[in-house]
Amino acid sequence: EAGVVQSPRYKIIEKKQPVAFWCNPISGHNTLYWYRQNLGQGPELLIRYENEEAVDDSQLPKDRFSAERLKGVDSTLKIQPAELGDSAVYLCASSLSRNSYEQYFGPGTRLTVT
Amino acid sequence: GIQVEQSPPDLILQEGANSTLRCNFSDSVNNLQWFHQNPWGQLINLFYIPSGTKQNGRLSATTVATERYSSLYISSSQTTDSGVYFCAALNFGNEKLTFGTGTRLTIIP
């Protein structure tokens, strides 16, 4: 069974440019998460989806970040415009449902903003 | 929200040694997971263990929910065990998986 797939794996952009990350969760997993991991720290939740619905986006900086999960499968996280402080690893995770909480993570996208 | 603390922050061991990593959390938990982040950044699931004891090869984990801690044991360490080990906890009230700051394990040949 394939794991969580993310692309791209690496992205280097100049500040003020837009960037987008894509995630395909494990087949059959209804819950999808986006995390951000800064250097030397643990991942922190940005947004959680139950199927198509964003049920927890309290940590998402809504002035520049947006996310969508059309049809309740793949998801895209966008930053526009990017700032230097956005440099981090962006991780996508999925779980079978909110009542089955073991989460599985993708390989992440390492973003560098110059 | 729940607080998660891990110790020690760094651990350097000779190959073949045993190690114990500790995770303390501030509230009751419904989910507790241990991950190994390899040098390429991939988070690998080790254990899903909100309570009790589990073993997988050279690794085992124990969570004592009433005392709000979990421990990860690695026996006969190998160089491939090197990396950062994260503990993450969640309770129904918060429904957010909160990570500790990790333990960086270095195994020397």
Side-chain angles (χ1 to χ4, degrees):
Chain A
E1 179 182 294
V4 177
V5 179
Q6 290 188 247
S7 68
R9 293 294 312 277
Y10 304 92
K11 191 73 176 179
I12 301 174
I13 60 171
E14 295 183 346
K15 62 182 180 182
K16 300 185 182 180
Q17 293 302 306
V19 64
F21 316 122
W22 175 81
C23 173
N24 180 248
I26 293 172
S27 178
H29 280 197
N30 296 321
T31 309
L32 183 146
Y33 314 80
W34 283 103
Y35 289 82
R36 177 169 59 189
Q37 185 175 20
N38 293 313
L39 192 63
Q41 299 180 19
E44 294 181 330
L45 181 70
L46 291 174
I47 189 168
R48 172 168 65 96
Y49 280 93
E50 299 291 341
N51 299 302
E52 304 89 357
E53 183 182 0
V55 295
D56 183 358
D57 63 356
S58 58
Q59 301 295 100
L60 192 72
K62 297 180 184 61
D63 56 337
R64 297 182 299 106
F65 286 65
S66 64
E68 61 182 11
R69 190 184 184 197
L70 301 176
K71 301 181 181 179
V73 180
D74 295 0
S75 178
T76 302
L77 178 69
K78 297 178 182 178
I79 308 175
Q80 182 170 10
E83 297 180 352
L84 295 176
D86 296 331
S87 295
V89 176
Y90 291 83
L91 294 160
C92 180
S94 69
S95 63
L96 193 59
S97 75
R98 65 186 293 270
N99 293 319
S100 176
Y101 279 88
E102 185 168 12
Q103 298 184 21
Y104 298 86
F105 283 77
T109 297
R110 184 175 298 275
L111 174 68
T112 302
V113 182
T114 63
Chain B
I2 196 168
Q3 307 297 316
V4 180
E5 295 182 353
Q6 291 186 245
S7 61
D10 293 279
L11 190 56
I12 301 174
L13 297 172
Q14 204 79 31
E15 195 170 23
N18 301 328
S19 58
T20 301
L21 283 58
R22 177 92 170 196
C23 172
N24 293 308
F25 39 91
S26 61
D27 204 346
S28 58
V29 297
N30 303 99
N31 174 6
L32 189 130
Q33 292 186 242
W34 283 97
F35 298 91
H36 175 210
Q37 191 162 43
N38 65 22
W40 295 271
Q42 175 75 56
L43 277 169
I44 298 166
N45 288 41
L46 297 178
F47 293 102
Y48 171 74
I49 188 165
S51 64
T53 297
K54 290 185 178 180
Q55 181 158 5
N56 184 3
R58 297 181 295 104
L59 276 61
S60 65
T62 295
T63 297
V64 184
T66 53
E67 297 185 23
R68 298 185 181 171
Y69 78 88
S70 182
S71 296
L72 177 69
Y73 308 92
I74 305 174
S75 64
S76 304
S77 298
Q78 301 174 359
T79 55
T80 52
D81 295 331
S82 295
V84 182
Y85 288 80
F86 285 104
C87 166
L90 175 153
N91 61 28
F92 280 143
N94 189 256
E95 295 197 22
K96 182 179 299 184
L97 193 64
T98 300
F99 283 74
T101 52
T103 292
R104 180 174 297 277
L105 178 64
T106 303
I107 304 300
I108 300 171

